[in-house]
Amino acid sequence: MNESTTEGRKLSRSFGRLALLGTLLVIAGVIGLVYTGVATLTSMLLFGWLLLVGGLVGLLHAIESRGTNYFWLGVVVAALNIAAGVVVIKHPEGTAEALTMFAALLFLTGGVFRLVGSVVVRGPQMGWTLLQGAFGLLLGLLVLFDWPHSSLYVLGCFFSLALLFDGLGLIAIGVGGRRIVSMVSERLDETAPTPDGPIKSPEDERK
């Protein structure tokens, strides 16, 4: 029983850390929604460093696998990642503008395809698909008409929303996990044997 209690405490602490991490992500997401320009630059710098570090790791793996058929392919992919990372880090504003334009085009094309597909197919979810297509088309037009100024807040807003929802998910997992561990621990304590023998349930006492 001591081992079960110890494991329960470890699990409870682990879920508590998840909830704490989720709280930090939620705070970061809220701050990012308030300061979308800073969030945009931060997301671009993180993206650039991820590309750079990923390219360096890929280059090391390619060097370790030299002599194989995939050596030059690994070197080329790693070099492209490193070059893209350097460009993003040196020009985060320009990268944000390019990615915002790309996102606007994705919204536009996705909205048009959903609208056309829902009208042609006329499935049971036609109304919902029409709504999604219209929303995507409207969002793409709004971002495109305000470009390049929209690059200052669109990516930062998406990045902050991702942090916010991920944080809320981690909080839900952490709080729910701690409750489950607490309920299981209480159940184990109730059914734990005592020096006078195992605890009897109310049904056994009536018998």
Side-chain angles (χ1 to χ4, degrees):
M1 186 54 61
N2 291 333
E3 293 181 359
S4 300
T5 304
T6 303
E7 290 297 325
R9 289 175 180 174
K10 289 181 179 179
L11 283 175
S12 182
R13 284 195 295 268
S14 298
F15 283 118
R17 294 189 189 99
L18 279 180
L20 178 60
L21 177 60
T23 303
L24 294 176
L25 290 180
V26 168
I27 294 173
V30 172
I31 294 174
L33 289 175
V34 175
Y35 302 100
T36 52
V38 176
T40 297
L41 291 179
T42 302
S43 62
M44 289 298 95
L45 291 175
L46 286 175
F47 180 55
W49 280 108
L50 284 175
L51 287 174
L52 183 60
V53 173
L56 292 174
V57 172
L59 183 61
L60 291 176
H61 282 297
I63 292 174
E64 290 178 356
S65 63
R66 59 183 178 276
T68 62
N69 295 329
Y70 304 101
F71 170 70
W72 288 110
L73 178 61
V75 170
V76 171
V77 172
L80 290 176
N81 284 332
I82 292 173
V86 171
V87 171
V88 172
I89 292 172
K90 285 188 175 182
H91 306 284
E93 295 88 355
T95 305
E97 292 179 2
L99 289 179
T100 302
M101 172 65 75
F102 182 68
L105 293 177
L106 281 181
F107 287 136
L108 285 173
T109 55
V112 170
F113 276 116
R114 283 191 176 92
L115 287 174
V116 174
S118 62
V119 173
V120 172
V121 177
R122 296 180 179 274
Q125 302 294 329
M126 177 180 176
W128 178 246
T129 307
L130 278 173
L131 182 61
Q132 285 182 316
F135 179 76
L137 184 62
L138 178 62
L139 185 59
L141 290 174
L142 289 175
V143 174
L144 191 61
F145 288 157
D146 198 29
W147 190 86
H149 182 262
S150 59
S151 62
L152 297 176
Y153 58 86
V154 169
L155 297 179
C157 185
F158 290 161
F159 179 66
S160 301
L161 287 175
L163 289 179
L164 181 62
F165 287 116
D166 286 345
L168 291 175
L170 288 178
I171 291 174
I173 294 173
V175 174
R178 292 196 70 175
R179 287 181 179 176
I180 293 174
V181 171
S182 178
M183 292 171 60
V184 172
S185 299
E186 291 176 358
R187 183 61 179 171
L188 290 175
D189 291 338
E190 290 176 358
T191 58
T194 63
D196 297 330
I199 297 176
K200 295 182 179 181
S201 62
E203 291 79 4
D204 294 334
E205 290 179 355
R206 284 195 294 269
K207 293 180 181 178

